[in-house]
Amino acid sequence: MSKRAVSRPLRNDPAVRELLALMREHNTPGQEEFLAVLREVGRMEQQLSSAVEELAAMRKELTQVRDGPVKRTLTKVIHGLERGVSALTEHLNALKLSIADSCKQALTAVRERGASALTHISQFLHIRSALEAVSWASDFAMAQCEKSMVHLRELTDTYREAGRHLKNAGRVMVGLEPLMESGGPGRLIRTMESLCEKEKGVYAFIKQRTDRASAALSRLEQAAQRQPSIRDTMRELNKKIDREQAERPAPAVEREGREPDGR
């Protein structure tokens, strides 16, 4: 897995910050929905950063374990988890880049056409496919967790059975009855099982957030559809002017000269 964690937080991107400031300044419709998308992405970033840190700590701890079947299996588990985190990191960074680029395009439109371009901000946010990719990567990462947990259960069974045989050999040597039940798994295996459960919860959380971000994006698109375009606004304004002119009484025509006053 790449050692690079999730890049700079999206809310700190200059284009994102500038566009948000403009939307607040002009009270742009849909700004709450856009903020909701950014909040959900921010929560994904926090959770993924936590998952990356947990995996790094576990890998470091694993380096202290002596070589053997347990270490080899746990290393395999770590590799599986890292594949899931790597895919998710890649797609989340792609989503963030897509949002930042969309904000740059919107700012360019504002400079060219004025603040009215903010009304249709959703036209620049082509991020739905990137959101879907993050959702897919979350599913992939959860599947990697499931595979890792299967490996750990197999290792646990082997570890416990081997421990029971060793204990029974010692009991037989001193004339005691052998044990029918084996002991529990080692501390490191239990720690890895706990990590798998935690990572799986992180990925489920991220998938949920992609659904919420997608819903907020849909609301943003609907808000833009409710706003008339500049062309429609001008057309309605012209119609209103025509109606007012048609309803206005014609001005009286003044006669040339004056009527005699009779004197």
Side-chain angles (χ1 to χ4, degrees), residues 221-256:
E221 292 167 345
Q222 291 166 6
Q225 290 172 0
R226 290 193 294 268
Q227 300 299 316
S229 66
I230 297 175
R231 182 177 298 175
D232 291 339
T233 301
M234 293 300 297
R235 186 183 296 115
E236 289 300 319
L237 181 59
N238 288 332
K239 287 180 180 179
K240 181 179 179 181
I241 293 173
D242 290 342
R243 285 196 302 269
E244 290 176 350
Q245 289 178 344
E247 294 170 358
R248 186 180 303 161
V253 178
E254 294 185 3
R255 299 176 182 178
E256 293 185 2

Side-chain angles (χ1 to χ4, degrees), residues 81 141-151 153 196 200:
L81 293 175
M142 284 190 282
Q144 291 298 320
C145 284
E146 290 288 351
K147 291 180 181 178
S148 297
M149 292 169 72
V150 169
H151 290 312
R153 283 192 289 269
C196 285
K200 185 179 177 182

Side-chain angles (χ1 to χ4, degrees), residues 15-71:
V16 173
R17 291 167 65 90
E18 184 179 354
L19 183 59
L20 281 174
L22 282 174
M23 294 179 78
R24 283 193 293 267
E25 179 183 349
H26 296 280
N27 195 26
T28 305
Q31 61 179 303
E32 288 302 321
E33 289 76 12
F34 182 49
L35 275 171
V37 172
L38 297 180
R39 278 195 297 267
E40 297 304 338
V41 174
R43 288 164 181 156
M44 295 181 216
E45 291 178 280
Q46 293 174 356
Q47 290 294 313
L48 187 55
S49 293
S50 174
V52 170
E53 291 172 2
E54 292 274 0
L55 275 178
M58 191 66 209
R59 175 173 277 283
K60 183 177 181 180
E61 184 174 355
L62 198 56
T63 60
Q64 308 301 319
V65 179
R66 64 182 181 182
D67 291 333
V70 171
K71 182 173 183 176

Side-chain angles (χ1 to χ4, degrees), residues 109-158:
V110 170
R111 296 185 187 103
E112 293 175 351
R113 291 158 32 199
S116 60
L118 293 171
T119 306
H120 304 281
I121 188 68
S122 64
Q123 294 178 359
F124 305 100
L125 287 175
H126 305 297
I127 63 172
R128 192 171 295 281
S129 60
L131 275 170
E132 291 171 352
V134 173
S135 181
W136 171 87
S138 300
D139 287 332
F140 176 78
M142 284 190 282
Q144 291 298 320
C145 284
E146 290 288 351
K147 291 180 181 178
S148 297
M149 292 169 72
V150 169
H151 290 312
L152 287 172
R153 283 192 289 269
E154 292 173 350
L155 179 61
T156 297
D157 292 340
T158 301

Side-chain angles (χ1 to χ4, degrees), residues 183-200:
R187 181 194 63 81
L188 194 58
I189 300 176
R190 290 196 300 271
T191 301
M192 187 69 82
E193 288 176 336
S194 176
L195 176 63
C196 285
E197 290 286 356
K198 187 182 297 185
E199 297 283 299
K200 185 179 177 182

